Amino acid sequence: MGQVTPVSFDSFYREMRPSLVGGLTRIVGDRTVAEDVAHDALSVVLRTWPRVSACESPYAWTWRGALNLNAKRLRRRRVELRHLPRQLTAPATALVEATPDMQLWAAVAALPLRQRVVVVLRVLDDRSYAEIADVVGCSADYARQLHRRGVDRLRSLVPETTVDG
């Protein structure tokens, strides 16, 4: 899959939303939360579409925005949990919707955030290291290192798996 260069927001949305929701599901561990974060990120993209569409990579801009929104959500959640202990809820019920290898996705969820993002974008979305570097905010070489470390860690956690490395 090459760099996303849409003609309109509609075409960008149709191409971007499934991979964004799928990747975020694996990153945050809950499809409902992933859909909310993706919706919020794509809403920002829609409001700023003339500027975003002129960017070198609207794909990376959208992913970075989604990851920032998720970080903001996590910070807000930590504050809520600290100040409202009566409202503690059970953890997310499912890591991922029907996935053939739940053990693998549980291992992915255990990776540090940057490694998790790189592995998800590389394996599920088949993105280049340069595109991933734009999303994560690092060099392509460092994105490659993060991917290698993540894949090595997954192989140690789930030895019988075949992760694209």
Side-chain angles (χ1 to χ4, degrees):
M1 208 175 194
Q3 183 173 342
V4 178
T5 53
V7 175
S8 68
F9 176 77
D10 290 341
S11 63
F12 176 78
Y13 178 89
R14 280 192 297 279
E15 185 172 335
M16 185 72 192
R17 187 182 180 283
S19 66
L20 187 62
V21 170
L24 285 169
T25 298
R26 272 108 180 144
I27 291 166
V28 303
D30 184 309
R31 182 164 179 92
T32 303
V33 171
E35 287 175 344
D36 287 346
V37 172
H39 172 78
D40 291 347
L42 289 166
S43 294
V44 171
V45 171
L46 175 60
R47 285 193 308 270
T48 58
W49 182 242
R51 188 181 61 174
V52 173
S53 64
C55 288
E56 185 176 324
S57 177
Y59 169 87
W61 196 98
T62 303
W63 258 105
R64 187 171 287 177
L67 294 172
N68 288 341
L69 287 169
N70 185 57
K72 182 179 178 179
R73 179 191 67 81
L74 290 173
R75 283 190 302 272
R76 185 173 50 245
R77 183 70 179 144
R78 277 193 292 272
V79 169
E80 289 170 357
L81 292 175
R82 190 171 49 242
H83 294 290
L84 303 171
R86 295 185 308 274
Q87 297 182 4
L88 289 175
T89 59
T93 56
L95 174 65
V96 186
E97 75 282 0
T99 301
D101 191 346
M102 291 302 290
Q103 186 180 10
L104 172 62
W105 291 116
V108 170
L111 292 175
L113 180 62
R114 289 180 105 187
Q115 284 181 10
R116 193 175 344 142
V117 170
V118 171
V119 168
V120 166
L121 292 179
R122 183 75 176 156
V123 174
L124 293 181
D125 220 12
D126 196 29
R127 292 296 171 166
S128 71
Y129 290 114
E131 289 174 305
I132 294 168
D134 284 345
V135 171
V136 176
C138 65
S139 70
D141 287 339
Y142 189 62
R144 184 176 289 109
Q145 288 177 16
L146 287 170
H147 178 253
R148 173 57 42 213
R149 289 179 196 154
V151 168
D152 289 347
R153 179 77 176 133
L154 290 175
R155 287 188 177 133
S156 73
L157 293 172
V158 188
E160 67 275 0
T161 193
T162 55
V163 178
D164 180 25

